């Protein structure tokens, strides 16, 4: 059974940094693109970043480009999101999802709050 | 960027009724690469429909999707109590992947 478990969320001041992790199980991570999607409180879903199987292709939403970095370690079945220069508007639940064009499996999310 | 507009914003219906949700794209979605997700309060979204009309694994057949080009529809034939939730469409025919703003199906 496919499982994705995010961790690393928390409270951080504006301008701070946070690193999120997503542990994958039940499938071979090296066969799939992976994605981070976020949802601000009471709002809809926003695609943040994705990465192909070997990490040679990475794409970012304009809202996070230059501040966030997606990475992966297939040997450790993990995907990461390094978030720098955080802004209040980055406050959201961050979901890791398996990317098959659509997003067929999602983690439960980890909450990031950017506030002074 | 393909902008997806969902309507209505909120749908108030009773259990057993039929729900029809619309998703309109600002430009044609290549390959009918459109998905629908259900999100219940406090939970992660769940894939319901992909490629406009194919049900994901384990999704009951009361959920169906249709459409092509710029107009897509999610239909729930008879609402069950567990179907009251927010539904999002998402396109993957172009980059970046984009979502609609959601339709809330609430109990009347």
């Amino acid at each position: 059974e496919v499982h994705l478990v995010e961790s690393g969320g928390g409270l951080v001041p504006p301008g701070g940094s946070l690193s999120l992790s997503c542990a994958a199980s039940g499938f071979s991570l090296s066969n799939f693109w992976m994605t981070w999607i976020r949802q601000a409180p009471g709002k809809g879903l926003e695609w943040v970043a994705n990465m192909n199987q070997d990490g040679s292709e990475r794409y970012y939403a304009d809202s996070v480009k230059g501040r966030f970095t997606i990475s992966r370690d297939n040997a450790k079945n993990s995907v990461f999101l390094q978030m720098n220069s955080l802004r209040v508007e980055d406050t959201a639940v961050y979901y890791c999802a398996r990317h098959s064009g659509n997003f067929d499996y999602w983690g439960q999310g980890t909450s990031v709050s950017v506030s002074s | 960027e393909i902008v997806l507009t969902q309507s209505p914003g909120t749908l108030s219906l009773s259990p057993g009724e039929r729900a029809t949700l619309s998703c309109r794209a600002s430009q044609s979605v290549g390959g009918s690469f459109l998905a629908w997700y259900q999100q219940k309060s406090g939970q992660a979204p769940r894939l319901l429909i992909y490629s406009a009309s194919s049900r994901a694994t384990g999704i009951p057949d009361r959920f169906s999707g249709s459409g092509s080009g710029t107009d897509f529809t999610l239909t729930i034939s008879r609402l069950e109590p567990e179907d009251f939730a927010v539904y999002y469409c998402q396109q993957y025919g172009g980059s970046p992947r984009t979502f609609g703003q959601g339709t809330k199906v609430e109990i009347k």
Side-chain angles (χ1 to χ4, degrees):
Chain A
E1 187 179 0
V2 172
H3 277 294
L4 297 168
V5 180
E6 302 91 338
S7 60
L11 175 63
V12 61
S17 298
L18 211 54
S19 182
L20 305 184
S21 299
C22 170
S25 62
F27 69 102
S28 179
L29 187 67
S30 59
N31 289 340
F32 290 89
W33 284 68
M34 295 297 291
T35 292
W36 287 94
I37 294 161
R38 67 185 180 184
Q39 186 170 35
K43 302 297 184 183
L45 301 166
E46 180 188 17
W47 167 77
V48 173
N50 61 15
M51 167 184 278
N52 71 340
Q53 290 87 335
D54 65 4
S56 59
E57 295 183 52
R58 311 181 195 203
Y59 301 96
Y60 299 92
D62 288 344
S63 57
V64 307
K65 201 171 294 182
R67 300 187 299 122
F68 289 13
T69 301
I70 187 173
S71 62
R72 64 195 294 160
D73 185 336
N74 289 336
K76 294 184 177 179
N77 294 313
S78 294
V79 182
F80 308 99
L81 186 68
Q82 177 64 40
M83 304 187 295
N84 298 330
S85 303
L86 282 161
R87 304 169 180 168
V88 171
E89 55 266 33
D90 295 320
T91 294
V93 173
Y94 285 73
Y95 295 102
C96 166
R98 194 173 80 169
H99 185 147
S100 303
N102 55 68
F103 307 117
D104 56 355
Y105 290 94
W106 299 60
Q108 85 291 347
T110 187
S111 181
V112 172
S113 182
V114 184
S115 174
S116 54
Chain B
E1 173 175 322
I2 298 177
V3 176
L4 300 178
T5 302
Q6 293 186 240
S7 62
T10 302
L11 201 50
S12 298
L13 296 167
S14 300
E17 290 194 293
R18 181 184 187 90
T20 303
L21 287 66
S22 173
C23 177
R24 179 161 290 179
S26 60
Q27 57 189 277
S28 183
V29 177
S32 291
F33 289 140
L34 187 111
W36 290 93
Y37 302 86
Q38 176 193 66
Q39 187 177 34
K40 297 179 182 179
S41 180
Q43 297 184 17
R46 175 176 70 147
L47 177 67
L48 297 176
I49 300 287
Y50 64 94
S51 296
S53 60
S54 297
R55 271 187 302 276
T57 303
I59 302 304
D61 60 8
R62 64 179 181 274
F63 291 92
S64 63
S66 63
S68 64
T70 60
D71 289 298
F72 298 88
T73 300
L74 174 70
T75 301
I76 311 171
S77 59
R78 295 173 310 280
L79 283 164
E80 297 288 341
E82 62 267 29
D83 299 337
F84 291 92
V86 180
Y87 293 83
Y88 294 94
C89 59
Q90 176 246 331
Q91 66 79 24
Y92 50 107
S95 291
R97 310 312 192 203
T98 50
F99 291 91
Q101 82 280 16
T103 289
K104 182 180 181 179
V105 178
E106 66 176 22
I107 299 177
K108 186 174 181 180

